[in-house]
Amino acid sequence: MFYFGIEHEVAFLNQEGKFADFSCTKFDDFHEIVKQLPIYPNDYYQLRLGDAGIRKKRWYIEGFERFADSEQVIDCVPKGIEIRTTIHSNIQSTIAELSESFHLLCEVAAQFGFSPILVSFNPYRTVYQPEPPLNDYEIRQLQGDPEEQTANIHMVTYGPDLNISVADLPVEHLIDIGRKLTYYSPYIVPFSYSSPFYKGELWQGLSVRTFIRTGKRPATLVFVEKQEQLIKSVPSLTKIARIPAEVGRIEFKAFDSCADFSIYASLLTLLKGLILDQSLMGRATIPDVGLHQLSAQEGFDNEDIFAIASPVLQAAEVALVDDPDVHLLTPLKILLQKRRTPAHELIEVYKRVGVIEQVLKQTYSAQ
């Protein structure tokens, strides 16, 4: 029995048509939007609330929390608004809920002059520097978690978490799946590439996000129940579940964001097929930085990436042979056959219009 969920980060253009990041946007700007969105009381056992009280809804402000010299949260520097779905037993209903939540967010955001755009890496800023500088308490907090130490990257990257849980799998099997997905990550992430802009210009590749974040942040996280089940690695492969619903969750974090949510359906199906597959033997505890960077620059045009991506996709299809979701792999087969990624379309539009904001305004047209 599989269970699915998606966390999708949404960036915005503001009332002046500028990219609404931490340089020009305050917490209250986005909080006015989130305040107008509904609360679903039955969500609480599925969705983590967090310590700061920011995550009370299916939508919450994604950013960098600032603390007094204690546990007291005094600010959250925003980068966007995250949508998270509840847990579903099938892929189609997961995508349907994501789409519904996205449309609600768009309607409310428009009332405040914000329009959603799809980015996977800040097209103008390359790093986030906390201002004022971190205090002693904040420094101690960040040092306790390998991923927290890379908040400067987190604040300029946007991407989905695709979550899959499989009922009653032993923890050793779950961790093995996490290592498998980490190994094959550079060959499957091009299906999602959507970050070809850097420092206000066209980058020389397809995914700045993958090029910069790989090796510093996980490709896959496996949530375990007990401290003794953790595996030490940097970046982490395992993490302690924060609520019971997280125990046994496999969270794939390496994809770029997708404006066409049907691609998420295809990617969840691909992950499901790779979990079921018994033929692929590659395993890795930490992501291969060099391979990811090669993949980020060239995608399926690179013969080595293409040569592995093809049998990986085929293995997933074979594993899903009797599964009604197998047809959801078709869009990925077409992308692979054409050696295209979503970034190719962004690059082509940019070459026509020459203005990044004009490209970004068109990203969610499929929705």
Side-chain angles (χ1 to χ4, degrees), residues 144-219:
D145 187 324
E147 279 65 66
E148 293 292 346
Q149 293 172 36
T150 57
N152 59 327
I153 297 173
H154 159 74
M155 286 294 285
V156 292
T157 58
Y158 299 75
D161 293 337
L162 299 191
N163 303 325
I164 300 186
S165 299
V166 190
D168 302 323
L169 275 189
V171 69
E172 296 81 9
H173 193 168
L174 288 167
I175 292 171
D176 186 64
I177 291 169
R179 296 182 68 239
K180 179 181 185 179
L181 296 180
T182 298
Y183 180 89
Y184 289 105
S185 172
Y187 308 106
I188 63 175
V189 287
F191 290 119
S192 67
Y193 282 164
S194 62
S195 50
F197 303 115
Y198 187 65
K199 294 184 177 178
E201 298 178 343
L202 205 57
W203 190 57
Q204 71 270 23
L206 303 166
S207 177
V208 176
R209 178 182 186 270
T210 300
F211 192 90
I212 288 176
R213 83 178 286 282
T214 302
K216 301 178 178 70
R217 295 183 72 83

Side-chain angles (χ1 to χ4, degrees), residues 227-301:
Q227 194 77 23
E228 58 266 27
Q229 295 168 334
L230 291 172
I231 292 176
K232 280 194 175 182
S233 65
V234 179
S236 301
L237 176 69
T238 53
K239 190 169 186 174
I240 291 284
R242 296 155 294 187
I243 57 174
E246 279 187 341
V247 175
R249 176 178 297 174
I250 301 159
E251 192 169 272
F252 192 79
K253 305 176 76 70
F255 287 127
D256 276 12
S257 293
C258 297
D260 180 352
F261 295 160
S262 68
I263 296 295
Y264 283 151
S266 299
L267 296 175
L268 279 171
T269 305
L270 174 60
L271 296 176
K272 179 182 177 182
L274 293 180
I275 289 170
L276 291 170
D277 162 73
Q278 301 292 319
S279 67
L280 299 170
M281 293 293 108
R283 301 292 187 273
T285 301
I286 58 173
D288 187 313
V289 175
L291 266 179
H292 277 87
Q293 292 188 337
L294 185 66
S295 175
Q297 290 172 299
E298 301 180 28
F300 297 132
D301 283 334

Side-chain angles (χ1 to χ4, degrees), residues 2 23 36 40 53 74 78 80 94-95 125 150 164 184 222-223 265 272 279 312 315 317 353 357 359:
F2 283 86
S23 68
Q36 303 299 318
Y40 303 92
I74 55 174
T94 312
I95 302 302
R125 301 186 182 276
T150 57
I164 300 186
Y184 289 105
V222 177
F223 287 88
K272 179 182 177 182
S279 67
V312 167
E317 186 175 22
V353 302
E357 286 86 356
V359 179

Side-chain angles (χ1 to χ4, degrees), residues 1 25 85 206 211 224 235 244 253 265 325 334:
M1 187 71 180
T25 312
T85 70
L206 303 166
F211 192 90
V224 299
K253 305 176 76 70
D325 288 337
I334 293 169

Side-chain angles (χ1 to χ4, degrees), residues 32-209:
E32 289 300 316
I33 298 171
V34 174
K35 273 199 307 190
Q36 303 299 318
L37 291 162
I39 285 180
Y40 303 92
N42 292 335
D43 288 356
Y44 287 146
Y45 80 98
Q46 298 186 33
L47 302 179
R48 188 173 70 92
L49 295 180
D51 300 324
I54 294 170
R55 296 173 168 86
K56 290 181 178 176
K57 300 184 178 184
R58 294 181 185 181
W59 308 262
Y60 70 89
I61 297 165
E62 182 66 80
F64 184 73
E65 293 172 4
R66 298 303 309 265
F67 293 82
D69 214 355
S70 67
E71 293 180 2
Q72 180 190 354
V73 177
I74 55 174
D75 193 14
C76 176
V77 182
K79 72 167 183 175
I81 295 176
E82 179 160 309
I83 303 169
R84 52 191 180 162
T85 70
T86 53
I87 299 167
H88 293 260
S89 59
N90 66 80
I91 291 171
Q92 287 84 355
S93 63
T94 312
I95 302 302
E97 187 192 305
L98 176 63
S99 298
E100 181 186 344
S101 292
F102 177 76
H103 290 136
L104 267 174
L105 174 62
C106 291
E107 288 173 14
V108 176
Q111 298 170 21
F112 296 92
F114 287 94
S115 52
I117 52 169
L118 190 286
V119 296
S120 293
F121 194 91
N122 189 313
Y124 299 104
R125 301 186 182 276
T126 60
V127 72
Y128 166 70
Q129 294 289 353
E131 192 57 49
L134 299 177
N135 60 43
D136 290 343
Y137 174 82
E138 291 173 317
I139 291 170
R140 286 196 303 273
Q141 290 295 103
L142 295 183
Q143 286 173 341
D145 187 324
E147 279 65 66
E148 293 292 346
Q149 293 172 36
T150 57
N152 59 327
I153 297 173
H154 159 74
M155 286 294 285
V156 292
T157 58
Y158 299 75
D161 293 337
L162 299 191
N163 303 325
I164 300 186
S165 299
V166 190
D168 302 323
L169 275 189
V171 69
E172 296 81 9
H173 193 168
L174 288 167
I175 292 171
D176 186 64
I177 291 169
R179 296 182 68 239
K180 179 181 185 179
L181 296 180
T182 298
Y183 180 89
Y184 289 105
S185 172
Y187 308 106
I188 63 175
V189 287
F191 290 119
S192 67
Y193 282 164
S194 62
S195 50
F197 303 115
Y198 187 65
K199 294 184 177 178
E201 298 178 343
L202 205 57
W203 190 57
Q204 71 270 23
L206 303 166
S207 177
V208 176
R209 178 182 186 270

